[in-house]
Amino acid sequence: MTKIYSYVLRQDCGSAPNPFGGICTLTICKPVIRRNAQKGDWIIGCGSSRVKLKDGKFKNFSDKIVYAMKITDIKTLKEYDEYCRSSLTTKIPQWNTKDYQLRIGDCIYDYSKGEKSVLRESVHKEWNKPTDESGINALLSNCFYYFGVEAQPLPPELKELIKKNQGHKKIERIDLIEDFEKWITQFEKNKVYADPQMRWFYDREITDKELVACAKKCLNDDKNESEETIC
């Protein structure tokens, strides 16, 4: 049975999810969702109420969705690394490049030396590794809608999908899922409509202090693994 997993995407920087390279992927952060979601399920990233934009101002994206992806493939993190090295090299982070999309690649764990991974220079630090790897899986989609800074408001009848705090919602109610699928298909599939909300943060020279602070925020966001079920 199809389910929807919904959560607040507080740091939409382009790495989790990563909508580039023609495939939307969720391979770091949100470990509970990555462990439990199945092919055919939907992942929805809801907007945060306070997002700092390039102009320094804050914007409220609550009651909107930043992205939606229907899971079409699931790989272990090791399988994902092998896949990226052979067929999707644009997802492997190149931290020292000026190309933003290459810099924020989400294939950040290198398994080429064996079963134990090595963290590539990327958006995360070593302390993120236990949480990231506890998610076990990389979720892939060739059926996605990514809105970024042009996050789309949900109609009133779909507001129940929105997650307001930490943790996530798991929606199993068939009518709500069907209504969402009817609504989302009005948009063009597999399109990146706009830049990630925090592209400005990574599309420049970043100090290690800034990167550390951002990586710690990611870790704190994933500490709450509570699940709210709507059935």
Side-chain angles (χ1 to χ4, degrees), residues 73-80 83 136-140:
D73 193 14
I74 298 175
K75 300 182 185 297
T76 65
L77 292 179
K78 182 179 180 181
E79 290 170 342
Y80 181 64
Y83 174 63
I136 302 172
N137 296 321
L139 308 181
L140 293 78

Side-chain angles (χ1 to χ4, degrees), residues 8-138:
V8 180
L9 179 55
R10 290 181 172 81
Q11 297 192 79
D12 175 34
C13 66
S15 60
N18 184 301
F20 304 117
I23 298 176
C24 188
T25 49
L26 184 64
T27 69
I28 57 177
C29 301
K30 308 313 299 177
V32 177
I33 293 177
R34 289 191 289 113
R35 280 199 305 271
N36 295 300
Q38 303 295 316
K39 287 183 182 179
D41 289 345
W42 286 92
I43 313 295
I44 293 177
C46 302
S48 177
S49 62
R50 185 174 167 83
V51 178
K52 188 177 181 180
L53 300 180
K54 186 176 181 179
D55 60 6
K57 296 180 180 179
F58 289 87
K59 185 171 181 178
N60 183 355
F61 286 100
S62 59
D63 293 339
K64 298 181 179 182
I65 69 167
V66 182
Y67 83 101
M69 60 182 279
K70 188 172 187 177
I71 302 169
T72 55
D73 193 14
I74 298 175
K75 300 182 185 297
T76 65
L77 292 179
K78 182 179 180 181
E79 290 170 342
Y80 181 64
D81 177 54
E82 293 169 349
Y83 174 63
C84 289
R85 284 188 280 116
S86 65
S87 306
L88 198 60
T89 57
T90 55
K91 297 277 189 178
I92 297 174
Q94 298 179 35
W95 193 246
N96 294 318
T97 183
K98 291 185 178 180
D99 186 321
Y100 161 76
Q101 291 188 18
L102 295 179
R103 175 179 282 189
I104 49 82
D106 66 353
C107 186
I108 69 175
Y109 294 107
D110 181 359
Y111 288 85
S112 63
K113 304 299 183 184
E115 293 297 320
K116 190 174 181 180
S117 71
V118 175
L119 175 65
R120 294 182 170 105
E121 193 172 7
S122 61
V123 297
H124 275 186
K125 294 291 188 179
E126 282 291 337
W127 59 72
N128 298 106
K129 189 175 179 181
T131 300
D132 285 342
E133 293 193 325
S134 73
I136 302 172
N137 296 321

Side-chain angles (χ1 to χ4, degrees), residues 188-205:
E188 184 179 342
K189 185 173 68 173
N190 301 338
K191 178 178 177 179
V192 177
Y193 278 79
D195 284 337
Q197 296 165 4
M198 290 182 64
R199 172 174 176 159
W200 65 270
F201 184 84
Y202 287 97
D203 198 8
R204 63 189 178 92
E205 292 295 325

Side-chain angles (χ1 to χ4, degrees), residues 162-195:
I162 295 172
K163 180 63 178 171
K164 290 291 187 180
N165 43 40
Q166 288 188 313
H168 64 271
K169 279 186 178 183
K170 182 173 71 174
I171 295 96
E172 298 179 334
R173 213 175 81 202
I174 295 174
D175 64 314
L176 192 55
I177 296 170
E178 289 178 345
D179 287 345
F180 167 75
E181 290 180 330
K182 289 177 183 177
W183 175 80
I184 195 68
T185 52
Q186 71 179 292
F187 300 100
E188 184 179 342
K189 185 173 68 173
N190 301 338
K191 178 178 177 179
V192 177
Y193 278 79
D195 284 337

